[in-house]
């Protein structure tokens, strides 16, 4: 089996060391001072690759200045240009960035144009030593792929293989592939399928893993830990991002924990003992003969360490239907954790693994240079005001350019449209456009209530 190593600046992706940890600035790339400051903060927190949104040629030039300023300050972290909808921008960015991320779903509408422009991009990458990420997202597959496969894991894999073949036709192997989804089941299935397909083709390209639009807080951390650990423990994945709708600096300790913990698990130096028992009722009678529960004790140094460790240990078993529930005794620094807190974690874990939905499911992007409003606080407010909508899938997205596509299977969406303006979506349909931000959550709730009264929509997640 040929295993491809990709060089992103001075960072090796695809080697035998633990997964490389990356994040993305949520500053405007045109705000050079703010972006440099955030890159330094991310570097100091331990980010090994940093991505910046690069919408146009002005942002490419800003990226060049940001890179120069960082290098002058001794920060050599590789920078990635995140490019959508413009192969011209991708080509320009390839002589500035250490890696360019393109999304095949919006690189070029016409397949022949895509082939031609991808070849042009590769020729620039070869000259400048720039790597490429073929970043496929569940929510933004191209029309041709969706027509043939639907928006399925198989479609994501077919798109990836098509672009791998195009890179190979151009004699270029410095590519990293990602297949992100906010749905942990879709995401893990897609990566496993692609890994198997690459194995049968005889060449393994590095994979960048991420649960996209994972949200924030415990839920975002648990969702990411569950899906990333399921793959990393199988030896799938070479670089990771934990996407949180928070300050991106918060992503780094979470990602480092997951990468290190899973590396130890694959080398056998972290052996977490797990007991699996039949599921019983309060009197000890078997509830259902074929169902099982994991019983496990934890004593960790912090709450965050507990939720991450338990999600990495138990999440993959729930995700893959190998067990049905968890029963935990938890101590944090030797102090027993309150049973309500343990139950809250259990509910989050069951929801992250899509086994039981006890509250609404949220899709929220992490925000980036395209976000023109206070995404973190708006998301918190949407969560607070929709917490009764169990079984609904609600999206809060930072921009109208990628938001509608990326919210994939959300039932309703709150999508930033520009400064203080919001679009409210039902599925893929924009029902209200240009709503002033101060009324936007009211409008969202009004639409959901009206649909429910008219029996236009029933919650799907149960
Ligand atoms: S959806 Fe969110 S993360 Fe994606 S481009 Fe728009 S603002 Fe940025």
């Amino acid at each position: 089996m040929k295993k491809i190593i990709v060089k992103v600046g001075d960072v090796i992706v695809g080697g035998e060391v633990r997964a490389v940890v990356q994040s993305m600035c949520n500053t405007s790339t045109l705000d050079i001072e703010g972006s440099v400051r955030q890159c330094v903060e991310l570097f100091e927190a331990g980010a090994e690759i940093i991505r910046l949104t690069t919408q146009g040629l002005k942002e490419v030039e800003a990226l060049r200045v940001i890179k120069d300023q960082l290098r002058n300050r001794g920060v050599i972290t590789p920078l990635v240009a995140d490019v959508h909808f413009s192969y011209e921008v991708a080509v320009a960015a390839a002589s500035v960035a250490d890696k360019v991320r393109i999304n095949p779903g919006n690189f070029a509408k016409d397949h022949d144009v895509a082939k031609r422009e991808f070849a042009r991009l590769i020729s620039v990458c070869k000259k400048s030593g720039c790597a490429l990420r073929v970043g496929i997202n569940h929510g933004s597959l191209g029309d041709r792929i969706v027509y043939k496969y639907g928006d399925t894991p198989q479609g994501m894999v077919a798109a990836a293989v098509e672009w791998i073949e195009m890179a190979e036709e151009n004699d270029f192997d410095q590519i990293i592939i990602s297949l992100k989804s906010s749905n942990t089941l879709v995401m893990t299935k897609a990566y496993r399928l692609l890994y198997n397909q690459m194995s049968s083709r005889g060449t393994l390209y590095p994979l960048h893993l991420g649960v996209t639009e994972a949200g924030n807080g415990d839920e975002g951390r648990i969702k990411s830990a569950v899906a990333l650990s399921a793959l990393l423990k199988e030896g799938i994945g070479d670089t990771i991002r934990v996407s949180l709708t928070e300050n991106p600096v918060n992503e780094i300790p979470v990602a480092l924990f997951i990468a290190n913990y899973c590396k130890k698990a694959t080398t056998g130096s972290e052996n977490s003992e797990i007991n699996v028992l039949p599921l019983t009722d309060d009197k000890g009678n078997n509830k259902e003969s074929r169902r099982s529960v994991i019983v496990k004790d934890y004593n960790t140094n912090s709450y965050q360490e507990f939720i991450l460790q338990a999600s990495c240990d138990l999440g993959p078993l729930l995700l893959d239907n190998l067990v049905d529930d968890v029963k935990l005794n938890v101590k944090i620094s030797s102090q027993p954790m309150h049973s309500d807190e343990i139950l809250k974690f259990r509910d989050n874990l069951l929801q992250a693994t899509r086994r039981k939905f006890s509250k609404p499911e949220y899709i929220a992007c992490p925000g980036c240079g395209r976000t023109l409003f206070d995404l973190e606080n708006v998301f918190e407010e949407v969560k607070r005001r929709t917490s009764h909508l169990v079984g609904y899938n609600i999206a809060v997205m930072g921009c109208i350019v990628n938001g509608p596509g990326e919210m994939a299977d959300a039932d309703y969406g709150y999508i930033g449209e520009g400064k203080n303006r919001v679009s409210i979506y039902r599925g893929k349909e924009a029902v209200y456009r240009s709503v002033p931000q101060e009324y936007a959550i009211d409008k969202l709730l009004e639409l959901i209530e009206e649909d429910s009264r008219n029996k236009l929509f029933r919650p799907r997640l149960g």
Side-chain angles (χ1 to χ4, degrees):
M1 179 73 55
K2 190 168 154 198
K3 193 160 188 326
I4 302 293
I5 303 281
V6 173
K7 267 196 86 192
V8 183
D10 285 336
V11 171
I12 299 291
V13 179
E16 293 305 314
V17 289
R18 64 140 172 83
V20 170
V21 164
Q22 50 179 294
S23 182
M24 181 167 179
C25 285
N26 61 5
T27 50
S28 160
T29 307
L30 297 178
D31 171 9
I32 292 179
E33 203 186 317
S35 298
V36 168
R37 196 181 318 119
Q38 194 166 71
C39 286
V40 172
E41 285 167 11
L42 285 166
F43 160 74
E44 286 170 351
E48 291 154 319
I49 296 179
I50 301 172
R51 185 158 45 115
L52 293 103
T53 192
T54 314
Q55 302 96 308
L57 296 175
K58 271 197 226 152
E59 282 79 6
V60 174
E61 276 320 299
L63 187 65
R64 188 192 302 278
V65 180
I66 292 166
K67 192 172 174 183
D68 285 347
Q69 292 195 6
L70 287 170
R71 300 304 179 252
N72 288 340
R73 294 170 70 153
V75 178
I76 55 159
T77 314
L79 299 185
V80 182
D82 193 65
V83 182
H84 294 264
F85 300 105
S86 170
Y87 43 77
E88 291 299 347
V89 174
V91 169
S95 30
V96 175
D98 299 292
K99 182 172 73 168
V100 172
R101 180 269 167 122
I102 55 161
N103 180 344
N106 57 35
F107 185 74
K109 271 227 166 298
D110 182 274
H111 187 55
D112 291 334
V113 176
K115 275 183 99 160
R116 190 186 67 222
E117 295 303 329
F118 190 49
R120 185 158 71 101
L121 174 60
I122 284 174
S123 71
V124 179
C125 288
K126 282 180 181 170
K127 277 191 211 122
S128 63
C130 181
L132 284 178
R133 167 148 73 94
V134 176
I136 290 154
N137 276 12
H138 179 216
S140 56
L141 291 170
D143 294 345
R144 206 169 36 84
I145 292 287
V146 173
Y147 182 73
K148 203 162 167 193
Y149 300 93
D151 53 353
T152 57
Q154 287 79 1
M156 296 164 79
V157 172
V161 171
E162 192 170 81
W163 286 70
I164 288 172
E165 284 171 353
M166 275 158 49
E168 288 174 346
E169 280 162 24
N170 287 283
D171 200 20
F172 186 68
D173 65 4
Q174 292 299 287
I175 54 169
I176 296 171
I177 316 290
S178 64
L179 302 175
K180 295 191 184 182
S181 168
S182 61
N183 179 323
T184 49
L185 276 179
V186 170
M187 180 269 197
T188 46
K189 185 167 182 189
Y191 278 106
R192 283 169 174 158
L193 277 174
L194 177 61
Y195 188 86
N196 290 341
Q197 201 141 331
M198 288 197 299
S199 303
S200 16
R201 293 178 83 254
T203 308
L204 290 174
Y205 290 91
L207 296 176
H208 168 61
L209 309 183
V211 177
T212 193
E213 288 100 29
N216 64 359
D218 286 5
E219 294 93 333
R221 285 161 175 78
I222 293 168
K223 230 190 237 184
S224 291
V226 159
L228 298 183
S229 65
L231 296 166
L232 289 172
K233 288 203 270 183
E234 290 168 12
I236 299 176
D238 305 279
T239 165
I240 61 171
R241 178 184 182 199
V242 170
S243 293
L244 296 176
T245 313
E246 297 180 21
N247 182 335
V249 173
N250 296 353
E251 297 177 0
I252 307 302
V254 180
L256 284 170
F257 180 95
I258 296 169
N260 285 321
Y261 191 72
C262 294
K263 185 68 196 171
K264 283 188 205 151
T266 54
T267 54
S269 55
E270 187 70 54
N271 269 330
S272 214
E273 197 184 304
I274 291 171
N275 288 323
V276 180
L277 302 175
L279 198 65
T280 56
D281 63 19
D282 293 345
K283 293 178 187 129
N285 299 319
N286 257 20
K287 270 172 102 176
E288 288 172 48
S289 57
R290 295 211 320 275
R291 301 193 69 210
S292 56
V293 57
I294 302 173
V295 182
K296 189 152 169 57
D297 296 343
Y298 282 97
N299 188 355
T300 57
N301 294 321
S302 69
Y303 175 70
Q304 170 143 306
E305 190 183 325
F306 157 65
I307 61 167
L308 294 178
Q309 189 174 333
S311 302
C312 291
D313 289 342
L314 315 174
L317 301 169
L318 287 161
L319 196 65
D320 291 335
N321 266 320
L322 299 174
V323 293
D324 302 292
D325 206 342
V326 296
K327 199 171 171 199
L328 307 173
N329 295 307
V330 186
K331 288 183 181 164
I332 308 291
S333 301
S334 302
Q335 294 300 313
M337 193 160 116
H338 197 280
S339 56
D340 289 351
E341 286 290 297
I342 298 176
L343 277 180
K344 197 172 127 207
F345 169 75
R346 168 190 171 263
D347 285 349
N348 281 333
L349 187 65
L350 290 175
Q351 182 143 337
T353 51
R354 304 185 79 82
R355 299 299 299 273
K356 184 174 164 227
F357 291 89
S358 51
K359 56 185 168 185
E361 180 69 359
Y362 294 100
I363 293 176
C365 80
C368 70
R370 291 184 192 266
T371 317
L372 300 176
F373 65 101
D374 182 354
L375 180 63
E376 282 179 50
N377 281 323
V378 165
F379 180 40
E380 273 306 319
E381 184 64 7
V382 170
K383 278 171 81 173
R384 194 181 64 74
R385 295 192 54 195
T386 56
S387 59
H388 56 293
L389 297 171
V390 180
Y392 285 71
N393 192 336
I394 297 170
V396 179
M397 306 297 282
C399 78
I400 199 78
V401 184
N402 287 327
E406 300 298 344
M407 64 187 234
D409 49 15
D411 304 313
Y412 293 93
Y414 174 115
I415 300 181
E417 216 184 83
K419 267 222 168 326
N420 302 321
R421 295 280 153 175
V422 175
S423 280
I424 304 294
Y425 273 64
R426 177 201 296 119
K428 296 195 184 313
E429 178 199 0
V431 181
Y432 300 119
R433 283 200 188 276
S434 214
V435 180
Q437 199 181 338
E438 59 266 42
Y439 311 120
I441 301 180
D442 292 341
K443 262 317 203 199
L444 172 71
L445 284 167
E446 200 182 294
L447 176 65
I448 294 174
E449 278 159 23
E450 199 179 305
D451 281 0
S452 163
R453 260 198 315 277
N454 295 333
K455 303 205 181 336
L456 269 180
F457 177 79
R458 267 206 208 121
R460 293 176 297 148
L461 303 172

